[in-house]
Amino acid sequence: MSEVRHNWTKEEILEIYNRPMMDLLYDAATIHRKQHDPNVVQVSTLLSIKTGGCSEDCGYCPQAARYHTGVEGNDLMTVNQVKAQALRAKEGGSSRVCMGAAWRNVKDGPEFDQVLEMVRGINKLDMEVCCTLGMVTENQAQRLAEAGLYAYNHNLDSSEEYYKEVISTRGYQDRLDTIDNVRKTKVTVCSGGIIGMGENVEDRAGMLVALSTLNPQPESTPINALVAVEGTPLEEEKPVSIWEMVRMVATTRIVLPETQVRLSAGRTQMSREGQAMCFFAGANSIFAGDKLLTTPNPDVNEDMKMFELLGMNPQKPFTKKVQPQTVEAGDSKFESLGEKPKWTRPEHKIDRNEAAKAKGKLVK
Ligand code: SF4
């Protein structure tokens, strides 16, 4: 049962999700122990290298410029600022730094060159480097790979059907195409989603069908619980219960047996006992640091205390895959192509997104 399958159906996944809790926990924990050390957790630090002012309309995101959320925008950080933060993260027990930029897609030019330098700088600190920069072309992914990128994050967010209820400025196929572009390189894929956006369990299962049928499956999958931020279209959504989170983590573990399943946004709403249950159900990664881009996250010391209590240890970098080599900018085989890719803009109307945008105008 712990072999990797790429032909999961929504019905099969729903059957797993809805199993009696004790059976679900037992099955997920059994698979988890076959594939992973249950007492080891991979710790990532998420760094917002360029915050706010984003042109997209993701209904969950306080960084979308069109919503009135009070998030202050910041220009791209400098390479030295990023290296200093990475060093601090390493000292705090993180093996990976994930750099997030509030961009629709990567654009060739000085800012991307600066990000490539950040990747080089962090890889040289012997830490795994991940980026989440929006859509990327194959050439851009190759340049990131050459710089020493370990992972690229691009979440599917939800099922294809529900995605249309949350975002209108890009299509699901753009997400899949970006993942495909990353797959053409040696960079590993990190892709997951968010629960608690008003979707139903069929949508959760649909997202897991999309992730599990990727071949290979993502090396890491973040499972986020929505943090409903005032001013966003999803501000009224109620927090998901710990039981839903445990079910989602356990089901993810069963259909993505080899993947590192990451407890991501929403951990501040969970007790230690709740998080421990998620680890038992197969989560083996967390985001550390007191902020996740713009939303709150538990303090690093709190996490270390929790690990001590549970007898868990942080995973060493490059445990799952060898460290990539960094090619210096002057030796690159891949030139900047100055591409202008035609990522889609469906622009269908999502009432709650329109309402949140209009509300912003009223407050101003
Ligand atoms: S999730 Fe990313 S792409 Fe969407 S609005 Fe936020 S920053 Fe922009």
Side-chain angles (χ1 to χ4, degrees):
M1 191 172 153
S2 65
E3 79 279 9
V4 175
R5 276 182 50 193
H6 300 283
N7 59 352
W8 287 99
T9 64
K10 198 193 277 190
E11 292 67 34
E12 286 176 306
I13 294 177
L14 278 173
E15 184 277 317
I16 295 171
Y17 186 96
N18 289 318
R19 273 180 201 167
M21 182 60 88
M22 296 308 138
D23 291 345
L24 176 60
L25 280 175
Y26 180 82
D27 293 345
T30 305
I31 288 177
H32 186 47
R33 279 160 186 269
K34 276 196 188 137
Q35 298 283 353
H36 307 268
D37 182 336
N39 300 314
V40 171
V41 187
Q42 190 255 333
V43 183
S44 291
T45 290
L46 184 56
L47 202 58
S48 183
I49 58 169
K50 189 267 163 194
T51 308
C54 184
S55 60
E56 301 296 278
D57 76 336
C58 309
Y60 50 80
C61 184
Q63 300 198 66
R66 64 189 70 201
Y67 307 135
H68 199 76
T69 60
V71 165
E72 281 184 29
N74 286 113
D75 291 341
L76 188 62
M77 285 167 73
T78 66
V79 176
N80 282 342
Q81 280 173 327
V82 167
K83 280 203 283 194
Q85 297 235 25
L87 211 47
R88 211 167 306 143
K90 187 178 180 179
E91 283 160 6
S94 285
S95 59
R96 181 181 292 192
V97 172
C98 181
M99 297 189 279
W103 289 333
R104 169 176 165 79
N105 59 284
V106 170
K107 294 193 179 88
D108 292 337
E111 289 203 319
F112 184 45
D113 293 342
Q114 199 167 315
V115 173
L116 293 172
E117 271 316 303
M118 294 172 189
V119 173
R120 290 187 182 96
I122 301 173
N123 191 39
K124 286 177 195 164
L125 295 176
D126 297 326
M127 297 183 81
E128 296 172 7
V129 198
C130 175
C131 279
T132 182
L133 312 169
M135 277 91 78
V136 283
T137 65
E138 185 183 338
N139 171 269
Q140 291 163 343
Q142 290 291 9
R143 293 174 70 205
L144 285 162
E146 257 194 341
L149 192 75
Y150 186 88
Y152 195 85
N153 165 268
H154 203 60
N155 289 334
L156 292 182
D157 291 341
S158 191
S159 66
E160 182 164 10
E161 296 75 28
Y162 199 70
Y163 187 86
K164 297 189 187 90
E165 307 289 323
V166 180
I167 300 158
S168 78
T169 52
R170 58 179 184 222
Y172 208 70
Q173 191 57 45
D174 293 330
R175 315 298 287 168
L176 295 169
D177 290 347
T178 287
I179 291 172
D180 205 37
N181 287 337
V182 175
R183 271 289 171 228
K184 290 175 185 148
T185 73
K186 289 185 178 151
V187 175
T188 62
V189 168
C190 173
S191 186
I194 308 171
I195 64 169
M197 298 193 293
E199 77 289 341
N200 55 33
V201 289
E202 282 77 13
D203 292 311
R204 292 175 191 174
M207 180 181 87
L208 290 179
V209 169
L211 290 169
S212 61
T213 48
L214 292 173
N215 193 359
Q217 292 181 343
E219 282 81 356
S220 61
T221 289
I223 300 295
N224 295 276
L226 177 77
V227 177
V229 177
E230 201 182 334
T232 61
L234 301 183
E235 65 180 1
E236 306 272 327
E237 293 295 336
K238 301 273 168 300
V240 292
S241 76
I242 188 64
W243 303 111
E244 289 175 275
M245 197 64 186
V246 171
R247 282 193 181 280
M248 190 64 189
V249 166
T251 311
T252 307
R253 168 51 65 228
I254 292 171
V255 301
L256 304 173
E258 292 179 351
T259 300
Q260 297 228 242
V261 177
R262 183 169 307 124
L263 281 187
S264 302
R267 274 202 307 125
T268 47
Q269 296 156 9
M270 290 182 214
S271 66
R272 272 189 183 167
E273 292 84 348
Q275 293 181 63
M277 193 126 64
C278 289
F279 293 133
F280 185 72
N284 58 351
S285 176
I286 59 160
F287 269 129
D290 58 1
K291 269 204 171 169
L292 280 191
L293 299 176
T294 60
T295 54
N297 197 48
D299 184 76
V300 180
N301 294 331
E302 279 301 306
D303 285 335
M304 291 304 151
K305 274 190 221 155
M306 174 174 70
F307 289 163
E308 209 181 307
L309 191 76
L310 300 175
M312 300 180 94
N313 295 304
Q315 181 175 293
K316 297 209 165 28
F318 312 111
T319 303
K320 302 277 179 184
K321 191 172 171 260
V322 291
Q323 182 171 12
Q325 284 193 339
T326 283
V327 174
E328 296 304 333
D331 300 324
S332 173
K333 279 198 296 188
F334 297 92
E335 277 177 44
S336 165
L337 300 177
E339 297 170 281
K340 297 211 174 358
K342 291 204 172 10
W343 301 108
T344 60
R345 270 192 191 279
E347 301 282 17
H348 54 280
K349 198 164 160 250
I350 303 174
D351 289 341
R352 60 189 176 186
N353 289 14
E354 297 291 324
K357 187 175 162 190
K359 199 165 143 196
K361 277 190 196 135
L362 287 178
V363 179
K364 279 174 203 162

